[in-house]
Amino acid sequence: MAEEYYKAAALADLEQGKLHAVEVDGEPICLVKLEDGIFAFTDNCTHISGPLNEGDFDGCTVTCPWHLAQFDVRTGEVKRGPARENLYTYPVKVENETVYVALPPA
Ligand code: FES
């Protein structure tokens, strides 16, 4: 089954380089607008579910507020432990000033 896109935010609500938490169909997702596009990743740290939207953000790296694991928000890749598992990243598209993210097929 193909992935399905869901409305996540108005484009105007995203500020360049600022983390923006949303819930899409019950999933906590964090959005961020960078120079090269908009990225979406799960808002639960893969260590023990720290809220990444409350962490620091610098360049393309988010730092978990709980135990300071770091991830690249474009790829989800772990850059620093204690997390070992990469973040899930969601496909994003923008249409009519609205940001959509694709959830994986159920
Ligand atoms: S919950 Fe994120 S580093 Fe521990």
Side-chain angles (χ1 to χ4, degrees), residues 45 47-50 64 66-69 82:
C45 179
H47 180 221
I48 50 168
S49 295
C64 179
W66 285 4
H67 316 101
L68 309 181

Side-chain angles (χ1 to χ4, degrees), residues 5 25 32 68 89 97:
Y5 278 87
D25 201 32
V32 65
L68 309 181
T89 56
E97 301 296 306

Side-chain angles (χ1 to χ4, degrees), residues 2 12-14 28 30 34 40-43 46 48 51 60-61 68 83 88 98 100 103-104:
D13 289 346
L14 300 187
C30 193
L34 301 180
F41 52 96
T42 180
D43 199 10
T46 58
I48 50 168
C60 57
T61 302
L68 309 181
Y88 185 83
T98 303
Y100 295 86
L103 300 185

Side-chain angles (χ1 to χ4, degrees), residues 24-76:
V24 180
D25 201 32
E27 305 251 358
I29 293 178
C30 193
L31 301 170
V32 65
K33 180 164 94 176
L34 301 180
E35 259 171 33
D36 49 347
I38 294 171
F39 297 88
F41 52 96
T42 180
D43 199 10
N44 283 329
C45 179
T46 58
H47 180 221
I48 50 168
S49 295
L52 293 173
N53 77 84
E54 295 174 17
D56 284 337
F57 184 71
D58 186 23
C60 57
T61 302
V62 63
T63 301
C64 179
W66 285 4
H67 316 101
L68 309 181
Q70 290 185 327
F71 304 89
D72 185 319
V73 300
R74 297 167 306 177
T75 59

